């Protein structure tokens, strides 16, 4: 079976590598020529448009930055639905809003193409062990399940179209809360005059209900001043923006996430957008004239 991947950057390249290793023929497309060159090195076949991908591939995976990018790839003049020769299912692994997914799923259905949302829960380097919450019809999910199981140890059909997106956005709103409060408590600890390392080691090894894997990851990064990005402030800001907008459309007041997003916005304004989310600690450091380490 031929697979397509549109968007072969940080996440998409990991998917391509896994699928080639699993014996699939993979057609690739990206607007970044360096990403396409890397895709060739990994064993992908690069073509010049989404329409060409749809000409060869039965299942096409999307890994794109924004809802507008997904729209262009799916609905554009040279998009996937303009030439669905062999195309059976589009699988969007991007982080987008459920309303975009539901709209595109309707257009896909009109031309006989399945559409599922399967946003990634997990780091790029853990491809193969990801969790994928999948939204769509049971029939469409089953058509692509074997392919998704190459990328994830858990493929969970969470419900109809857009429900995978809901899980992802709510997860990343929770990520934003843990990220923000970790920076806040470390800054408070330092301002009091206490060694933040003592705070971290006491809490992280306590077995308390407050301890999360993210806290265990962020603490050491902050203490050793390591802001190399595993997940950037810019990306967290974008995901939280989508989540907050979704909640507002549903009439849900988002007191906590709105506050956390202000911290992300300040970090971006101060020039830390390309750094790891742990870099929000620098906002507190500048405000309080301290350094947490």
């Amino acid at each position: 079976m031929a697979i397509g991947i549109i968007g072969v950057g940080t996440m998409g390249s990991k998917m391509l590598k896994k699928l080639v290793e699993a014996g699939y023929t993979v057609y690739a497309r990206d607007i970044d020529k360096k990403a396409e060159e890397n895709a060739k090195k990994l064993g992908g076949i690069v073509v010049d448009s989404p329409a060409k991908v749809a000409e060869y591939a039965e299942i096409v995976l999307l890994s794109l930055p924004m809802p507008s990018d997904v729209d262009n790839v799916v609905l554009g003049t040279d998009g996937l639905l303009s030439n669905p020769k062999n195309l059976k299912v589009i699988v969007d692994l991007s982080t987008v809003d459920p309303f975009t997914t539901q709209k595109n799923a309707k257009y896909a259905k009109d031309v006989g193409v399945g559409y599922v949302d399967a946003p990634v829960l997990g780091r790029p380097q853990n491809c193969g062990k990801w969790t994928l919450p999948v939204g769509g019809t049971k029939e469409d999910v089953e058509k692509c399940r074997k392919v998704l199981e190459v990328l994830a140890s858990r493929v969970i059909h969470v419900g109809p179209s857009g429900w995978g997106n809901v899980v992802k956005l709510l997860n990343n709103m929770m990520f934003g809360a843990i990220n923000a409060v970790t920076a806040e408590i470390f800054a408070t600890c330092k301002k009091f005059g206490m060694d933040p390392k003592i705070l971290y080691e006491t809490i992280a090894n306590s077995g308390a209900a407050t301890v999360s894997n993210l806290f265990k990851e962020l603490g050491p990064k902050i203490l050793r001043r390591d802001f190399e990005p595993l997940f950037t402030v810019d990306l967290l800001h974008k995901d939280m923006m989508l989540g907050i907008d979704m909640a507002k459309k549903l009439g849900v007041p988002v007191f906590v996430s709105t506050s956390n997003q202000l911290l992300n916005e300040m970090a971006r304004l101060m020039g830390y957008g390309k750094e790891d989310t742990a870099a929000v600690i620098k906002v507190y450091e500048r405000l309080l004239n301290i350094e947490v380490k």
Side-chain angles (χ1 to χ4, degrees):
M1 179 190 293
I3 306 298
I5 302 181
I6 300 179
V8 285
T10 302
M11 302 295 273
S13 61
K14 303 294 188 297
M15 295 190 284
L16 189 151
K17 185 174 185 292
K18 283 288 183 184
L19 290 167
V20 169
E21 290 172 350
Y24 288 98
T25 300
V26 182
Y27 292 88
R29 167 66 183 155
D30 200 292
I31 60 171
D32 185 337
K33 295 305 175 187
K34 288 183 179 179
E36 289 192 333
E37 286 301 317
N38 185 52
K40 288 180 185 177
K41 292 176 184 176
L42 294 173
I45 303 167
V46 173
V47 295
D48 62 8
S49 70
K52 278 289 184 185
V53 175
E55 184 177 337
Y56 299 118
E58 294 181 33
I59 296 172
V60 176
L61 312 180
L62 310 182
S63 182
L64 300 165
M66 296 294 291
S68 58
D69 299 307
V70 174
D71 279 348
N72 289 336
V73 164
V74 175
L75 306 175
T77 54
D78 64 347
L80 293 171
L81 298 185
S82 71
N83 185 39
K85 279 191 176 180
N86 290 314
L87 184 57
K88 293 180 180 177
V89 185
I90 297 169
V91 184
D92 188 10
L93 293 100
S94 318
T95 300
V96 300
D97 63 277
F99 311 111
T100 294
T101 291
Q102 290 168 346
K103 175 194 68 183
N104 289 344
K106 182 180 181 300
Y107 281 114
K109 184 179 179 181
D110 288 344
V111 295
V113 175
Y115 197 104
V116 304
D117 47 299
V120 175
L121 299 183
R123 299 292 197 185
Q125 65 271 23
N126 293 328
C127 183
K129 298 178 181 178
W130 290 338
T131 291
L132 299 179
V134 186
T137 68
K138 184 177 180 181
E139 180 184 11
D140 288 338
V141 173
E142 291 310 313
K143 285 178 184 176
C144 58
R145 181 177 288 276
K146 286 186 179 179
V147 171
L148 297 183
E149 286 177 344
V150 174
L151 310 176
S153 58
R154 301 175 73 223
V155 177
I156 305 167
H157 185 199
V158 296
S161 180
W163 284 31
N165 299 136
V166 172
V167 172
K168 172 68 174 183
L169 294 182
L170 296 180
N171 175 79
N172 281 25
M173 288 166 74
M174 186 160 55
F175 184 116
I178 297 168
N179 192 71
V181 78
T182 298
E184 190 165 276
I185 66 170
F186 272 47
T188 304
C189 178
K190 183 70 176 184
K191 190 67 176 177
F192 186 79
M194 181 179 179
D195 184 351
K197 184 178 180 182
I198 294 173
L199 174 75
Y200 172 75
E201 291 181 347
T202 303
I203 294 175
N205 298 314
S206 69
T210 52
V211 180
S212 71
N213 289 335
L214 180 57
F215 175 77
K216 288 183 175 181
E217 177 185 288
L218 289 169
K221 284 180 72 68
I222 291 171
L223 292 172
R224 65 176 181 263
R225 314 293 297 167
D226 172 16
F227 303 114
E228 277 296 308
L230 293 174
F231 185 50
T232 67
V233 172
D234 280 345
L235 285 174
L236 178 58
H237 178 269
K238 168 253 185 181
D239 290 357
M240 289 190 64
M241 175 186 68
L242 292 172
I244 290 168
D245 287 348
M246 175 184 70
K248 286 181 177 179
K249 285 180 181 178
L250 297 171
V252 179
V254 278
F255 308 119
V256 175
S257 292
T258 300
S259 177
N260 296 333
Q261 185 73 321
L262 287 173
L263 180 59
N264 297 329
E265 289 172 2
M266 289 184 70
R268 296 176 79 219
L269 287 169
M270 291 178 179
Y272 310 134
K274 303 301 181 188
E275 297 184 29
D276 190 82
T277 62
V280 298
I281 188 67
K282 295 182 183 181
V283 175
Y284 286 100
E285 290 176 331
R286 286 177 64 169
L287 292 172
L288 299 171
N289 194 30
I290 59 173
E291 186 175 69
V292 178
K293 60 181 181 178

